[in-house]
Amino acid sequence: MNERTIKAYLRRYIRAEQLHYRICEDYKELCESLSAIGGFRYGQLRIQQTTVKSAKFEDLIARKEFLEEKMLRAGVKAYDIKEELRAMIWQLNDDRSRWILLSLYVEKTSWQDLFDHGAVSEATYYRWHRKALYDFAEVYSEEIEKWHERSM
């Protein structure tokens, strides 16, 4: 199993978070568009008139409901992946491996922030990272292989 596959497995949470963010942005944009229609305010659909006859308006409301559901599912999925990865990483024996994997793949700390954090060289961090990836793959190779096969 190569390093790229292991990193991709660990980045599942970051990708899920990014998807959730994009859906939230689409939702916000749609709500702002709806706000421009008389009788509505951002974030809430309050109809001042008693009837609405515009099919386009109904499509917008249906899209808003669809995005609300999609946003909720994406948020729950991101949270579930985050907690799953956190639990998996905590099963590792080496404290340094746990720290570096949790920092990079769960807490989304940048490499630069890691470099600023400690008193060791960048090369040392990269060496620790490679060892942490190896430790993770050693314990979870089956799960990573199954995930890799499903994602192909």
Side-chain angles (χ1 to χ4, degrees), residues 44-80:
Q44 71 182 95
L45 288 177
R46 199 180 51 154
I47 302 173
Q48 289 177 345
Q49 297 85 9
T50 55
T51 60
V52 178
K53 296 182 180 179
S54 169
K56 179 154 177 69
F57 177 76
E58 290 170 359
D59 291 344
L60 288 174
I61 290 180
R63 174 90 174 130
K64 181 179 184 289
E65 291 170 353
F66 170 76
L67 285 175
E68 286 171 346
E69 178 64 28
K70 192 173 179 181
M71 190 169 47
L72 177 64
R73 280 183 285 148
V76 168
K77 181 178 180 181
Y79 177 81
D80 289 347

Side-chain angles (χ1 to χ4, degrees), residues 111-112 115 120-127:
W111 277 104
Q112 190 58 48
F115 300 150
V120 296
S121 70
E122 290 181 21
T124 301
Y125 277 118
Y126 289 124
R127 192 169 46 253

Side-chain angles (χ1 to χ4, degrees), residues 108-123:
K108 301 185 292 185
T109 305
S110 70
W111 277 104
Q112 190 58 48
D113 288 343
L114 285 180
F115 300 150
D116 295 343
H117 179 271
V120 296
S121 70
E122 290 181 21

Side-chain angles (χ1 to χ4, degrees), residues 4-143:
R4 182 178 292 170
T5 303
I6 301 163
K7 287 179 183 178
Y9 182 84
L10 288 165
R11 287 189 186 119
R12 292 177 312 138
Y13 166 62
I14 295 169
R15 285 192 310 275
E17 262 305 295
Q18 290 169 341
L19 175 64
H20 182 248
Y21 176 78
R22 285 193 305 270
I23 294 168
C24 289
E25 287 299 307
D26 288 348
Y27 178 78
K28 181 180 175 183
E29 185 179 309
L30 179 64
C31 288
E32 288 172 352
S33 296
L34 287 169
S35 295
I37 300 172
F40 294 90
R41 294 195 182 145
Y42 174 75
Q44 71 182 95
L45 288 177
R46 199 180 51 154
I47 302 173
Q48 289 177 345
Q49 297 85 9
T50 55
T51 60
V52 178
K53 296 182 180 179
S54 169
K56 179 154 177 69
F57 177 76
E58 290 170 359
D59 291 344
L60 288 174
I61 290 180
R63 174 90 174 130
K64 181 179 184 289
E65 291 170 353
F66 170 76
L67 285 175
E68 286 171 346
E69 178 64 28
K70 192 173 179 181
M71 190 169 47
L72 177 64
R73 280 183 285 148
V76 168
K77 181 178 180 181
Y79 177 81
D80 289 347
I81 290 172
K82 179 179 184 176
E83 292 308 308
E84 174 191 348
L85 286 177
R86 184 187 313 273
M88 291 173 83
I89 291 169
W90 271 105
Q91 297 299 317
L92 299 177
N93 292 327
D94 184 45
D95 290 341
R96 190 178 297 143
S97 291
R98 280 196 308 261
W99 172 73
I100 205 157
L101 293 179
L102 285 169
S103 296
L104 290 172
Y105 299 105
V106 176
E107 303 304 327
K108 301 185 292 185
T109 305
S110 70
W111 277 104
Q112 190 58 48
D113 288 343
L114 285 180
F115 300 150
D116 295 343
H117 179 271
V120 296
S121 70
E122 290 181 21
T124 301
Y125 277 118
Y126 289 124
R127 192 169 46 253
W128 290 351
H129 181 245
R130 277 192 306 279
K131 181 189 178 308
L133 292 174
Y134 175 79
D135 291 348
F136 188 84
E138 195 173 84
V139 175
Y140 295 108
S141 60
E142 252 182 60
E143 288 88 343

